[in-house]
Amino acid sequence: ARGLNGFLDSHVVRGKRVVPMTCAAALMATTALRAHPGFHLVGVEALQLFGGLFADADVPLTLSMERKTDADAPLLRLGCRILAAGKPGYGATVVLSASKLAPPANVRVRSGGAKVSKLYDGVTLFHGTHLRHIQEAAIDGDVLTASCLNLSLDTAAAGQFESSRSAINGFA
């Protein structure tokens, strides 16, 4: 509802505040982790935008999870979907592991990555000040690598999306 989650004023599409895809991905990943105690997040893959989630109307949300791997597979893949009033908003595959994996070493944006002035052009990225954390990015095939800042939001701006409540703090 209006007045909550001030950062959404920086994520407006066609005049409506929309929940960012990264927040939806974090919700799916956090929910998957909480439903599978002892597992660790490997990644979020195949993120899909269906109709998005508009933040200015109170509608029932449903998050569904479906196992996509055999029970004895080394990684657990969960097909997740967020529905708003029964209509698909976002989807993704959340990948979990029973053992904690080492983070990738020396991940860097390759030379030739787009600079921030080119990213926030109102078309590629349209984010307002609360969400301008990407410094540079490069796309190689279907892989996006980005260098980001950690922007702090006060409690009023963060609202219901305050990151310390997330099991994967800081993902979004």
Side-chain angles (χ1 to χ4, degrees), residues 14-142:
R14 296 186 189 125
K16 294 182 179 182
R17 297 179 338 145
V18 179
V19 175
M21 191 176 268
T22 55
C23 291
L27 175 62
M28 290 183 273
T30 298
T31 303
L33 281 169
R34 289 184 176 155
H36 296 84
F39 279 77
H40 304 273
L41 181 66
V42 173
V44 178
E45 300 174 344
L47 195 57
Q48 296 175 293
L49 168 64
F50 298 113
L53 301 175
F54 295 98
D56 293 328
D58 290 328
V59 297
L61 295 180
T62 304
L63 193 150
S64 65
M65 285 184 281
E66 180 181 347
R67 179 186 287 266
K68 296 175 81 174
T69 50
D70 293 332
D72 60 348
L75 297 176
L76 174 60
R77 294 182 184 280
L78 300 166
C80 298
R81 191 170 277 201
I82 299 174
L83 303 162
K87 296 179 181 174
Y90 295 103
T93 299
V94 176
V95 184
L96 304 177
S97 173
S99 57
K100 191 170 186 168
L101 303 176
N106 301 319
V107 174
R108 293 191 182 111
V109 176
R110 294 184 183 149
S111 62
K115 296 298 179 194
V116 70
S117 60
K118 292 183 180 178
L119 292 173
Y120 292 107
D121 60 3
V123 177
T124 305
L125 294 176
F126 52 87
H127 304 118
T129 56
H130 285 110
L131 297 174
R132 290 192 175 210
H133 63 277
I134 298 175
Q135 291 183 296
E136 64 177 324
I139 298 174
D140 183 12
D142 63 352

Side-chain angles (χ1 to χ4, degrees), residues 125-172:
L125 294 176
F126 52 87
H127 304 118
T129 56
H130 285 110
L131 297 174
R132 290 192 175 210
H133 63 277
I134 298 175
Q135 291 183 296
E136 64 177 324
I139 298 174
D140 183 12
D142 63 352
V143 176
L144 167 72
T145 305
S147 173
C148 302
L149 297 170
N150 185 10
L151 298 179
S152 296
L153 296 177
D154 61 31
T155 303
Q160 295 164 304
F161 293 88
E162 194 271 309
S163 68
S164 68
R165 284 188 252 149
S166 170
I168 49 174
N169 187 15
F171 183 78

